[in-house]
Amino acid sequence: MNRPDVMTSFTTGLADINLDETDGRRAGAQAAAMKSASSSIYDMAATLSGRGELWNWGMCDPDLAAEIEARLPGFAEFGTDGFSEQLYYLALRDLPGGLDGCAGQTLVEVGCGAGEGLNFLSRLVPDTRMTGLDLSPRAVARANATLARGDNLRFVQGDAEDLPFEDSSVDLLINIESSHTYPDLDRFLREVARVLRPGGALSHIDVFTRQRLQTMRRITAELPQLTWATDHDVSAAVRAAVRRRMTPGSRFRRTLDRQRMNPLVRTIATHSQILMFGGMFAGYRPPASIRALSRLGVVPWMSGLPMESYRHQVAVRV
């Protein structure tokens, strides 16, 4: 499958999953096609992206940034704008035991990408044994080659809907901006319940369409193994981060500007990156040049999914 076909399959699959009005389950060839496209997309991202680049849409919360700064002075001064880190920090801070309660625990991140987020967390809570799992073989290979540190930080390839971990073997599981790509959300959450130890916790952070949020709430109501402790809407802080990244002169824009490309390619690349990292969610509207190129068929029109909220949810295994 060539790159345009992969992109088409991925975006079509995303729309099908997140606009579904039925039970939120996809299986068979339809699910396999989405997973194949998703794996290919993140294989490409792992190959093309640089160290320390953006991992997610990020969030902008001065209080969170100050808390991280107190633990890791200067964390946002070199190679990062600090917004992606804040989402990862939130994932642990709001667990029942907080960051300090992670010491000596086993933590799994499902959907770890190239591992930068988990690597950041390993600096915050160095006594925690961490494993990252991702569908993309290339992302896992890169993470193991550049970040792995024995049993303290390792990465494995696997499927979120069929986790390669034993029953009741994990203390903490985090899932950040990933589950909206899963064809069967119910199956993923049941796998989470299976691998968590009693008293273990899930920290789930993701963006939702209206339909996907309804599906999430229906599934959680029907899953007695997990007690949902919190459900916070963090949309405002996420939109703030995305808007700051879209601003000319931001680290995000300067990184794009340093790349050597002609003006037309730069316009398309900037548009694509803004869409990928939450632009439509934060009110971005493509410039006239992109709209004109779309009418000419030079660049596909990508309006983005109608994502309505970005939420942080915590569940405890009964």
Side-chain angles (χ1 to χ4, degrees):
M1 188 182 294
N2 59 40
R3 186 169 180 174
D5 289 341
V6 168
M7 288 299 300
T8 298
S9 182
F10 183 69
T11 55
T12 299
L14 276 182
D16 180 64
I17 290 168
N18 288 281
L19 300 179
D20 178 47
E21 297 277 5
T22 59
D23 64 359
R25 296 183 177 94
R26 293 291 181 273
Q30 190 177 29
M34 177 58 187
K35 290 180 182 182
S36 176
S38 182
S39 178
S40 296
I41 289 290
Y42 289 100
D43 277 349
M44 287 188 279
T47 300
L48 298 174
S49 63
R51 287 289 305 277
E53 291 185 2
L54 310 186
W55 322 320
N56 51 51
W57 293 6
M59 65 184 297
C60 181
D61 183 320
D63 291 337
L64 287 185
E67 289 180 27
I68 301 172
E69 180 69 22
R71 289 176 176 264
L72 294 176
F75 84 98
E77 293 182 18
F78 302 97
T80 177
D81 55 25
F83 299 143
S84 291
E85 287 90 339
Q86 289 182 46
L87 272 177
Y88 272 85
Y89 180 78
L90 178 69
L92 296 194
R93 191 194 72 165
D94 284 2
L95 287 169
L99 271 76
D100 294 336
C102 295
Q105 303 284 290
T106 58
L107 183 150
V108 168
E109 180 184 9
V110 177
C112 67
E116 298 282 2
L118 203 58
N119 183 55
F120 167 72
L121 291 184
S122 74
R123 297 164 58 209
L124 286 173
V125 284
D127 295 328
T128 306
R129 299 183 302 280
M130 298 187 177
T131 300
L133 175 140
D134 202 87
L135 189 63
S136 160
R138 189 66 178 168
V140 169
R142 170 176 159 171
N144 274 320
T146 60
L147 302 174
R149 296 191 298 277
D151 291 336
N152 291 329
L153 181 62
R154 67 189 186 98
F155 301 90
V156 297
Q157 194 275 335
D159 188 333
E161 297 173 10
D162 186 17
L163 296 176
F165 307 111
E166 296 180 359
D167 296 359
S168 302
S169 62
V170 174
D171 294 305
L172 307 168
L173 191 147
I174 64 173
N175 185 244
I176 300 175
E177 205 173 287
S178 181
S179 71
H180 66 278
T181 68
Y182 301 167
D184 193 335
L185 184 60
D186 179 87
R187 187 171 174 182
F188 162 61
L189 290 172
R190 291 185 184 279
E191 278 291 275
V192 170
R194 179 184 65 80
V195 303
L196 282 177
R197 293 190 176 104
L202 162 69
S203 186
H204 178 262
I205 300 178
D206 210 351
V207 62
F208 289 93
T209 58
R210 172 186 60 80
Q211 296 90 335
R212 191 69 163 179
L213 184 56
Q214 288 178 346
T215 297
M216 180 75 173
R217 287 178 170 163
R218 176 189 56 75
I219 292 170
T220 57
E222 298 172 355
L223 194 61
Q225 300 97 316
L226 295 176
T227 296
W228 294 84
T230 61
D231 184 349
H232 295 151
D233 190 322
V234 295
S235 299
V238 172
R239 288 190 174 101
V242 174
R243 287 171 181 149
R244 290 198 179 197
R245 283 174 168 167
M246 290 191 297
T247 302
S250 68
R251 185 184 295 275
F252 173 59
R253 298 293 289 267
R254 293 199 308 271
T255 299
L256 284 170
D257 291 345
R258 284 197 297 268
Q259 298 178 26
R260 301 180 68 177
M261 58 186 79
N262 67 51
L264 175 61
V265 173
R266 182 179 303 282
T267 297
I268 295 172
T270 300
H271 168 70
S272 299
Q273 287 288 296
I274 289 174
L275 283 180
M276 184 179 300
F277 288 101
M280 302 303 290
F281 185 68
Y284 167 74
R285 294 294 178 267
S289 56
I290 289 293
R291 295 197 297 270
L293 290 170
S294 177
R295 288 193 294 271
L296 294 172
V298 176
V299 60
W301 177 255
M302 294 185 290
S303 60
L305 290 169
M307 297 300 191
E308 295 190 359
S309 64
Y310 201 110
R311 313 190 73 84
H312 178 214
Q313 301 155 319
V314 174
V316 176
R317 173 73 163 87
V318 175

